[in-house]
Short mmCIF file of all heavy atoms in Angstrom, two decimals:
data_model
loop_
_atom_site.label_atom_id
_atom_site.label_comp_id
_atom_site.label_asym_id
_atom_site.label_seq_id
_atom_site.Cartn_x
_atom_site.Cartn_y
_atom_site.Cartn_z
N PHE U 1 -169.18 80.69 12.77
CA PHE U 1 -168.40 79.54 12.32
C PHE U 1 -169.10 78.27 12.77
O PHE U 1 -169.62 78.19 13.87
CB PHE U 1 -166.98 79.60 12.90
CG PHE U 1 -166.21 80.80 12.44
CD1 PHE U 1 -166.36 82.03 13.06
CD2 PHE U 1 -165.33 80.71 11.36
CE1 PHE U 1 -165.66 83.14 12.63
CE2 PHE U 1 -164.62 81.81 10.93
CZ PHE U 1 -164.79 83.04 11.57
N MET U 2 -169.09 77.26 11.88
CA MET U 2 -169.80 76.02 12.17
C MET U 2 -168.84 74.85 12.37
O MET U 2 -167.76 74.81 11.79
CB MET U 2 -170.75 75.67 11.02
CG MET U 2 -172.07 76.36 11.12
SD MET U 2 -173.26 75.56 10.02
CE MET U 2 -174.73 76.46 10.49
N SER U 3 -169.29 73.91 13.18
CA SER U 3 -168.61 72.63 13.33
C SER U 3 -169.63 71.54 13.08
O SER U 3 -170.76 71.62 13.57
CB SER U 3 -168.04 72.51 14.75
OG SER U 3 -167.52 71.21 14.96
N LYS U 4 -169.25 70.54 12.28
CA LYS U 4 -170.17 69.44 11.98
C LYS U 4 -169.45 68.13 12.33
O LYS U 4 -168.51 67.74 11.66
CB LYS U 4 -170.59 69.47 10.51
CG LYS U 4 -171.39 70.72 10.16
CD LYS U 4 -171.87 70.75 8.73
CE LYS U 4 -172.66 72.02 8.45
NZ LYS U 4 -173.17 72.10 7.06
N LYS U 5 -169.89 67.51 13.41
CA LYS U 5 -169.26 66.27 13.87
C LYS U 5 -170.33 65.20 14.06
O LYS U 5 -171.53 65.47 13.92
CB LYS U 5 -168.51 66.52 15.19
CG LYS U 5 -167.39 67.55 15.06
CD LYS U 5 -166.49 67.60 16.28
CE LYS U 5 -165.36 68.61 16.06
NZ LYS U 5 -164.35 68.54 17.13
N LYS U 6 -169.89 63.99 14.41
CA LYS U 6 -170.85 62.93 14.71
C LYS U 6 -170.26 62.02 15.77
O LYS U 6 -169.04 61.97 15.95
CB LYS U 6 -171.22 62.14 13.44
CG LYS U 6 -170.06 61.39 12.80
CD LYS U 6 -170.50 60.72 11.52
CE LYS U 6 -169.33 59.99 10.86
NZ LYS U 6 -169.70 59.39 9.58
N ILE U 7 -171.14 61.34 16.47
CA ILE U 7 -170.70 60.37 17.47
C ILE U 7 -171.34 59.03 17.13
O ILE U 7 -172.55 58.94 16.94
CB ILE U 7 -171.04 60.84 18.90
CG1 ILE U 7 -170.64 59.79 19.92
CG2 ILE U 7 -172.51 61.20 19.06
CD1 ILE U 7 -170.71 60.28 21.35
N GLU U 8 -170.52 57.99 17.01
CA GLU U 8 -171.02 56.65 16.72
C GLU U 8 -171.32 55.95 18.03
O GLU U 8 -170.48 55.92 18.94
CB GLU U 8 -170.00 55.87 15.88
CG GLU U 8 -169.79 56.51 14.51
CD GLU U 8 -169.03 55.61 13.56
OE1 GLU U 8 -169.01 54.39 13.78
OE2 GLU U 8 -168.47 56.15 12.59
N LEU U 9 -172.52 55.41 18.13
CA LEU U 9 -172.96 54.76 19.36
C LEU U 9 -173.00 53.25 19.17
O LEU U 9 -173.05 52.74 18.05
CB LEU U 9 -174.34 55.28 19.75
CG LEU U 9 -174.45 56.80 19.95
CD1 LEU U 9 -175.90 57.20 20.11
CD2 LEU U 9 -173.63 57.24 21.15
N THR U 10 -173.01 52.54 20.27
CA THR U 10 -173.12 51.09 20.22
C THR U 10 -174.51 50.70 19.72
O THR U 10 -175.52 51.24 20.22
CB THR U 10 -172.92 50.49 21.64
OG1 THR U 10 -171.74 51.05 22.19
CG2 THR U 10 -172.82 48.99 21.60
N PRO U 11 -174.62 49.80 18.74
CA PRO U 11 -175.95 49.35 18.29
C PRO U 11 -176.76 48.85 19.48
O PRO U 11 -176.24 48.18 20.37
CB PRO U 11 -175.62 48.21 17.32
CG PRO U 11 -174.24 48.52 16.82
CD PRO U 11 -173.52 49.16 17.98
N GLY U 12 -178.02 49.17 19.49
CA GLY U 12 -178.88 48.75 20.61
C GLY U 12 -179.12 49.84 21.62
O GLY U 12 -180.07 49.77 22.41
N LEU U 13 -178.28 50.88 21.62
CA LEU U 13 -178.51 52.01 22.52
C LEU U 13 -179.76 52.77 22.10
O LEU U 13 -180.02 52.91 20.91
CB LEU U 13 -177.31 52.97 22.53
CG LEU U 13 -176.13 52.62 23.44
CD1 LEU U 13 -175.01 53.62 23.23
CD2 LEU U 13 -176.55 52.63 24.90
N ASN U 14 -180.51 53.27 23.05
CA ASN U 14 -181.73 54.02 22.76
C ASN U 14 -181.35 55.49 22.48
O ASN U 14 -181.18 56.28 23.41
CB ASN U 14 -182.70 53.92 23.94
CG ASN U 14 -184.05 54.53 23.61
OD1 ASN U 14 -184.17 55.41 22.76
ND2 ASN U 14 -185.08 54.05 24.30
N VAL U 15 -181.22 55.81 21.20
CA VAL U 15 -180.77 57.15 20.80
C VAL U 15 -181.78 58.21 21.21
O VAL U 15 -181.43 59.29 21.67
CB VAL U 15 -180.49 57.21 19.27
CG1 VAL U 15 -180.04 58.61 18.87
CG2 VAL U 15 -179.43 56.19 18.88
N ASP U 16 -183.08 57.88 21.06
CA ASP U 16 -184.13 58.84 21.44
C ASP U 16 -184.04 59.19 22.92
O ASP U 16 -184.21 60.36 23.30
CB ASP U 16 -185.52 58.27 21.12
CG ASP U 16 -185.78 58.21 19.62
OD1 ASP U 16 -185.28 59.11 18.91
OD2 ASP U 16 -186.46 57.28 19.16
N ALA U 17 -183.79 58.19 23.74
CA ALA U 17 -183.68 58.43 25.19
C ALA U 17 -182.49 59.33 25.51
O ALA U 17 -182.56 60.20 26.39
CB ALA U 17 -183.56 57.10 25.93
N ILE U 18 -181.38 59.14 24.78
CA ILE U 18 -180.20 59.98 24.99
C ILE U 18 -180.52 61.43 24.64
O ILE U 18 -180.18 62.36 25.39
CB ILE U 18 -179.02 59.46 24.13
CG1 ILE U 18 -178.54 58.10 24.64
CG2 ILE U 18 -177.85 60.47 24.12
CD1 ILE U 18 -177.56 57.39 23.72
N LEU U 19 -181.23 61.63 23.52
CA LEU U 19 -181.58 62.99 23.11
C LEU U 19 -182.56 63.63 24.10
O LEU U 19 -182.45 64.82 24.41
CB LEU U 19 -182.19 62.99 21.70
CG LEU U 19 -181.23 62.61 20.55
CD1 LEU U 19 -181.96 62.64 19.22
CD2 LEU U 19 -180.02 63.53 20.50
N GLU U 20 -183.49 62.84 24.61
CA GLU U 20 -184.43 63.34 25.62
C GLU U 20 -183.69 63.79 26.88
O GLU U 20 -184.01 64.83 27.48
CB GLU U 20 -185.45 62.25 25.98
CG GLU U 20 -186.58 62.10 24.98
CD GLU U 20 -187.45 60.89 25.29
OE1 GLU U 20 -187.55 60.50 26.48
OE2 GLU U 20 -188.03 60.32 24.34
N THR U 21 -182.69 63.03 27.28
CA THR U 21 -181.89 63.38 28.46
C THR U 21 -181.13 64.68 28.23
O THR U 21 -181.08 65.56 29.11
CB THR U 21 -180.91 62.25 28.81
OG1 THR U 21 -181.64 61.04 29.01
CG2 THR U 21 -180.11 62.57 30.07
N MET U 22 -180.58 64.84 27.03
CA MET U 22 -179.86 66.08 26.70
C MET U 22 -180.82 67.28 26.77
O MET U 22 -180.47 68.34 27.29
CB MET U 22 -179.25 65.99 25.31
CG MET U 22 -178.03 65.08 25.22
SD MET U 22 -176.63 65.62 26.24
CE MET U 22 -176.13 67.11 25.37
N ALA U 23 -182.04 67.10 26.26
CA ALA U 23 -183.03 68.19 26.30
C ALA U 23 -183.37 68.56 27.75
O ALA U 23 -183.49 69.74 28.09
CB ALA U 23 -184.29 67.78 25.53
N LYS U 24 -183.51 67.53 28.61
CA LYS U 24 -183.81 67.79 30.03
C LYS U 24 -182.65 68.51 30.71
O LYS U 24 -182.84 69.41 31.53
CB LYS U 24 -184.10 66.47 30.75
CG LYS U 24 -185.51 65.94 30.52
CD LYS U 24 -185.69 64.60 31.21
CE LYS U 24 -186.99 63.94 30.74
NZ LYS U 24 -187.02 62.51 31.06
N ASN U 25 -181.43 68.08 30.38
CA ASN U 25 -180.25 68.67 31.01
C ASN U 25 -180.11 70.16 30.70
O ASN U 25 -179.50 70.90 31.46
CB ASN U 25 -178.97 67.93 30.55
CG ASN U 25 -178.87 66.54 31.14
OD1 ASN U 25 -179.68 66.17 32.01
ND2 ASN U 25 -177.91 65.75 30.68
N TYR U 26 -180.68 70.57 29.54
CA TYR U 26 -180.55 71.98 29.13
C TYR U 26 -181.92 72.67 29.09
O TYR U 26 -182.14 73.59 28.31
CB TYR U 26 -179.86 72.05 27.77
CG TYR U 26 -178.38 71.78 27.84
CD1 TYR U 26 -177.87 70.52 27.56
CD2 TYR U 26 -177.49 72.79 28.21
CE1 TYR U 26 -176.50 70.26 27.64
CE2 TYR U 26 -176.12 72.55 28.29
CZ TYR U 26 -175.64 71.28 28.01
OH TYR U 26 -174.29 71.04 28.10
N LYS U 27 -182.84 72.20 29.94
CA LYS U 27 -184.22 72.71 29.89
C LYS U 27 -184.32 74.21 30.17
O LYS U 27 -185.31 74.85 29.80
CB LYS U 27 -185.11 71.94 30.85
CG LYS U 27 -184.78 72.08 32.33
CD LYS U 27 -185.73 71.25 33.18
CE LYS U 27 -185.51 71.47 34.67
NZ LYS U 27 -184.18 71.07 35.12
N ASP U 28 -183.30 74.79 30.80
CA ASP U 28 -183.33 76.23 31.09
C ASP U 28 -182.93 77.08 29.88
O ASP U 28 -183.05 78.31 29.92
CB ASP U 28 -182.42 76.56 32.28
CG ASP U 28 -182.94 75.95 33.58
OD1 ASP U 28 -184.16 75.70 33.65
OD2 ASP U 28 -182.13 75.70 34.48
N GLU U 29 -182.42 76.43 28.84
CA GLU U 29 -182.07 77.15 27.60
C GLU U 29 -183.25 77.09 26.63
O GLU U 29 -184.24 76.40 26.87
CB GLU U 29 -180.83 76.51 26.95
CG GLU U 29 -179.61 76.40 27.86
CD GLU U 29 -179.03 77.74 28.28
OE1 GLU U 29 -179.30 78.75 27.59
OE2 GLU U 29 -178.32 77.78 29.29
N GLU U 30 -183.12 77.78 25.51
CA GLU U 30 -184.16 77.72 24.45
C GLU U 30 -184.00 76.41 23.70
O GLU U 30 -182.97 76.16 23.09
CB GLU U 30 -183.98 78.91 23.50
CG GLU U 30 -185.12 79.06 22.51
CD GLU U 30 -184.89 80.22 21.53
OE1 GLU U 30 -184.26 81.22 21.94
OE2 GLU U 30 -185.33 80.09 20.38
#
């Protein structure tokens, strides 16, 4: 089963940096 959602961020936020942090936080997963 799938869920498709989105999160709206404040303009000016560094989206790439947020995604990089998420990748680091889960570095032990695939």
Side-chain angles (χ1 to χ4, degrees):
F1 297 83
M2 276 196 174
S3 172
K4 296 182 180 181
K5 299 191 178 188
K6 64 184 178 183
I7 177 170
E8 296 193 21
L9 303 171
T10 310
L13 276 176
N14 188 334
V15 179
D16 289 326
I18 292 169
L19 293 180
E20 280 173 28
T21 303
M22 287 298 291
K24 280 177 192 163
N25 289 352
Y26 286 97
K27 64 181 185 298
D28 294 336
E29 306 294 340
E30 189 182 328

